Amino acid sequence: MVYTVVVAWLVLAAIVVLSWTRLDAERGWRGTVLALTLGLSLLHQLLFATVTEDALVSFRYAQNIADGNGPVFNPGERVEGYTNFFWLVLIALPRAAFGADVHTAAVVFGVVSALGCVLLAYFLVNRIVAAATPAGTEPRAALGVAAAVLTASAGGLAVYGPSGSEVPLFVLIVLAVGYSLAARRPVVAGVLVAFAVMTSPEGLVVAVLAGLWLAGAAAKKQHSWWAPAGYLLGALVFLIPRLAWRMTFYQHYLPAPLAAKLGAGFDATVGTGWPYLSGFALAHQGFLLLGLVAAVALLLRRGSAGEARALIWLLFATALALAAAAVLIGGDPGPSWRLLAPVPPLLAVASVATYGVLTADVEARPSPKSWPVATRLVPVTACGLAGIAVLVSVFSPEMLDRVRDWRANGTQLAEIGGWLGEYLPPGSVVSGAAPGALAEHGGQLLIIDVLGRTDDHIAREGRHEDGVSTDYDYVVNGRRPTVAVPGDGGYADRQHCAIDPVYAGQYQVATFRRVGTPYWVAVYPRAEQAKSVVADLDKGPDFRYVPCPS
């Protein structure tokens, strides 16, 4: 698959560079190249094709919504263990209406959203450039193709496209907000930022910046004051009922995952957030350099087209603010910098649009024969940076290799959850650090997240450290799980007979060999139930109990 993606990029780059002048003039050829760009995006996504732990948690919530249990992780426990309400509703609808599989619906919606980001990057660039182009000048629609190619190569978007998570939808909404502002549709922008806030907490950053941009435009008389008013009304008509319902149903304004993450304090979150941002910057130097050059050029070269310039600055500001927000909340433990997935597409759109705006007043453009270097500058730069981004996807340790490890661990934990769900009595309580994976095939198990993301007490009252919250005394003596699953790494390559000290005394170690493999799994049954639990689990044909040496 790696070679397929690289070859697809080479073919697309050759076509874009060689046919650049045709892309402006021939709509059919432009459509063909856009279709090839979508093909590259799809192949880039299939290179990863891994459902994330966060997505599996969302699937459990969505399935409970569709099945009539309400937005809960464990039936009867009202805990807001998610931050993507709009995404939950979206992926629950096919199951509620047609009985469709939540997992499949989420992956399809994610892939389609990522492809939509590629198309919207094309349309947004051309909309901004058209606003700055003098009357009577031919549009340069090929610039949108350059932005689409860059967006298709963005690694974070490709990783999370088929992940089942809300990330590609959030990126799509962010770009759609920019397009609605460029189209002078402030009410639509308000509705979209409401959806952004309900899809990801970082949507609040987008909402504030877009509102300030509209207020500034109204102050400069580029819009009437009805524009920011309509924007505000469009957002509040959705956000106020959502907040009221949240407080009524969950009795909290802050979701458990955010409470667990932010409870450690400012210094701790920033201390983990800076390395997160620096790792992203190291892997995305091409996008960052492109954005820096474009921003400096936009700053130094004055000109007309004030609204188009202002919109480009909004895109740059949004990318910067999202990066700052990622630092302030302490980053994210997942691979490929999930919180920063919108940044490369935003920089791609803003940078290509900058070139278009700064050159929009050049009425007589030289022919390719008299100035071939300048004519090919945009496609060569865009395709070159896209190639670098694809290589980063393949060779960065935070990208393909880590996603593959993540996939293996998630698959193994899902097998463990299915085994526990089939052979433990219905309603048994199981604790673990990967509740989504354990619940995927866990049936009627009640899953306790020892890191507090789906448990209010642990999230709000536990010990906060490294972006998570823990309270093992509450888990062991309060929730009293039948079985504890230590760690979140799946199988081990050898038998582990030592028990985690937080469970010592009230739990025992039971080790099982995964039949037909060299792998082992250790679980901790509660001491007074250990004999019956081990006997039940040993009935499974795929796991064989092997006592620890005396």
Side-chain angles (χ1 to χ4, degrees):
M1 194 66 188
V2 170
Y3 294 111
T4 303
V5 174
V6 173
V7 169
W9 163 72
L10 288 172
V11 171
L12 178 62
I15 292 174
V16 169
V17 172
L18 295 175
S19 66
W20 182 250
T21 54
R22 294 181 61 186
L23 293 177
D24 276 333
E26 301 180 25
R27 178 178 297 181
W29 185 250
R30 195 161 58 245
T32 300
V33 173
L34 277 175
L36 293 174
T37 306
L38 291 174
L40 172 64
S41 175
L42 182 60
L43 290 173
H44 200 183
Q45 294 177 64
L46 294 177
L47 176 65
F48 299 99
T50 300
V51 174
T52 67
E53 166 63 22
D54 287 344
L56 292 172
V57 171
S58 298
F59 295 171
R60 172 101 161 189
Y61 273 97
Q63 184 165 324
N64 279 326
I65 291 173
D67 293 347
N69 297 317
V72 296
F73 189 76
N74 294 318
E77 298 180 10
R78 294 190 176 187
V79 181
E80 190 178 6
Y82 58 88
T83 58
N84 54 355
F85 176 76
F86 183 63
W87 179 249
L88 289 187
V89 173
L90 185 65
I91 64 176
L93 283 175
R95 179 178 178 87
F98 312 110
D101 180 57
V102 170
H103 182 295
T104 302
V107 171
V108 170
F109 286 156
V111 170
V112 171
S113 295
L115 296 176
C117 291
V118 175
L119 288 177
L120 200 49
Y122 166 81
F123 288 114
L124 180 53
V125 164
N126 288 340
R127 186 85 192 202
I128 296 172
V129 175
T133 301
T137 304
E138 292 185 4
R140 292 175 292 165
L143 292 176
V145 174
V149 170
L150 285 167
T151 302
S153 69
L157 188 61
V159 168
Y160 288 97
S163 72
S165 76
E166 74 284 355
V167 172
L169 177 65
F170 179 67
V171 179
L172 181 65
I173 294 174
V174 171
L175 293 175
V177 170
Y179 189 87
S180 62
L181 292 176
R184 303 178 72 87
R185 296 290 186 268
V187 176
V188 175
V191 173
L192 288 171
V193 296
F195 292 161
V197 172
M198 292 189 290
T199 301
S200 174
E202 293 80 21
L204 186 60
V205 173
V206 181
V208 170
L209 288 176
L212 292 174
W213 185 87
L214 274 174
K220 295 177 181 178
K221 301 188 183 304
Q222 295 173 342
H223 283 271
S224 74
W225 283 103
W226 286 110
Y231 169 85
L232 186 63
L233 289 173
L236 293 182
V237 74
F238 288 94
L239 291 179
I240 289 178
R242 160 68 177 140
L243 290 173
W245 174 81
R246 168 188 276 167
M247 188 60 190
T248 302
F249 191 83
Y250 293 115
Q251 306 295 314
H252 290 290
Y253 284 118
L254 195 65
L258 280 182
K261 181 179 283 289
L262 299 178
F266 179 80
D267 291 341
T269 54
V270 172
T272 56
W274 272 119
Y276 183 80
L277 180 60
S278 62
F280 169 84
L282 185 64
H284 295 80
Q285 295 178 55
F287 282 99
L288 296 179
L289 181 60
L290 178 66
L292 179 61
V293 171
V296 171
L298 191 64
L299 184 65
L300 294 180
R301 182 170 177 179
R302 304 292 181 180
S304 56
E307 187 171 350
R309 286 170 171 265
L311 190 55
I312 293 173
W313 281 121
L314 174 62
L315 297 176
F316 279 130
T318 302
L320 183 62
L322 289 173
V327 172
L328 293 176
I329 64 176
D332 181 76
S336 308
W337 305 280
R338 176 179 67 91
L339 299 179
L340 297 169
V343 173
L346 285 170
L347 293 178
V349 170
S351 300
V352 177
T354 296
Y355 176 86
V357 169
L358 293 183
T359 58
D361 56 350
V362 180
E363 297 182 6
R365 285 176 287 169
S367 67
K369 294 182 179 179
S370 61
W371 198 7
V373 175
T375 303
R376 308 294 180 184
L377 175 63
V378 173
V380 168
T381 302
C383 293
L385 291 178
I388 293 173
V390 169
L391 293 177
V392 168
S393 293
V394 173
F395 295 109
S396 171
E398 280 293 317
M399 301 289 282
L400 185 58
D401 286 345
R402 190 164 175 210
V403 168
R404 285 173 171 170
D405 291 341
W406 204 18
R407 180 192 305 157
N409 291 340
T411 300
Q412 292 168 7
L413 286 166
E415 289 180 358
I416 293 170
W419 167 53
L420 296 176
E422 185 173 356
Y423 293 98
L424 290 177
S428 295
V429 180
V430 174
S431 66
L438 292 175
E440 184 179 11
H441 303 300
Q444 300 181 40
L445 294 177
L446 300 180
I447 311 293
I448 304 169
D449 181 6
V450 297
L451 303 181
R453 293 159 299 189
T454 61
D455 188 285
D456 264 337
H457 175 88
I458 299 174
R460 303 176 198 280
E461 307 296 334
R463 177 187 176 187
H464 297 88
E465 186 177 8
D466 296 332
V468 297
S469 182
T470 56
D471 188 344
Y472 285 102
D473 181 67
Y474 162 79
V475 172
V476 171
N477 299 306
R479 299 303 301 267
R480 299 173 61 85
T482 304
V483 172
V485 179
D488 60 356
Y491 299 138
D493 55 5
R494 60 188 179 86
Q495 187 179 28
H496 289 278
C497 292
I499 192 169
D500 190 322
V502 299
Y503 291 101
Q506 300 197 48
Y507 287 81
Q508 297 178 4
V509 179
T511 57
F512 293 79
R513 185 73 176 264
R514 180 68 168 88
V515 175
T517 75
Y519 299 126
W520 295 79
V521 59
V523 296
Y524 303 160
R526 197 162 185 90
E528 61 268 24
Q529 301 172 274
K531 186 175 181 179
S532 61
V533 167
V534 169
D536 287 339
L537 294 179
D538 199 33
K539 295 175 183 177
D542 297 325
F543 295 87
R544 184 62 55 228
Y545 175 61
V546 180
C548 288
S550 301

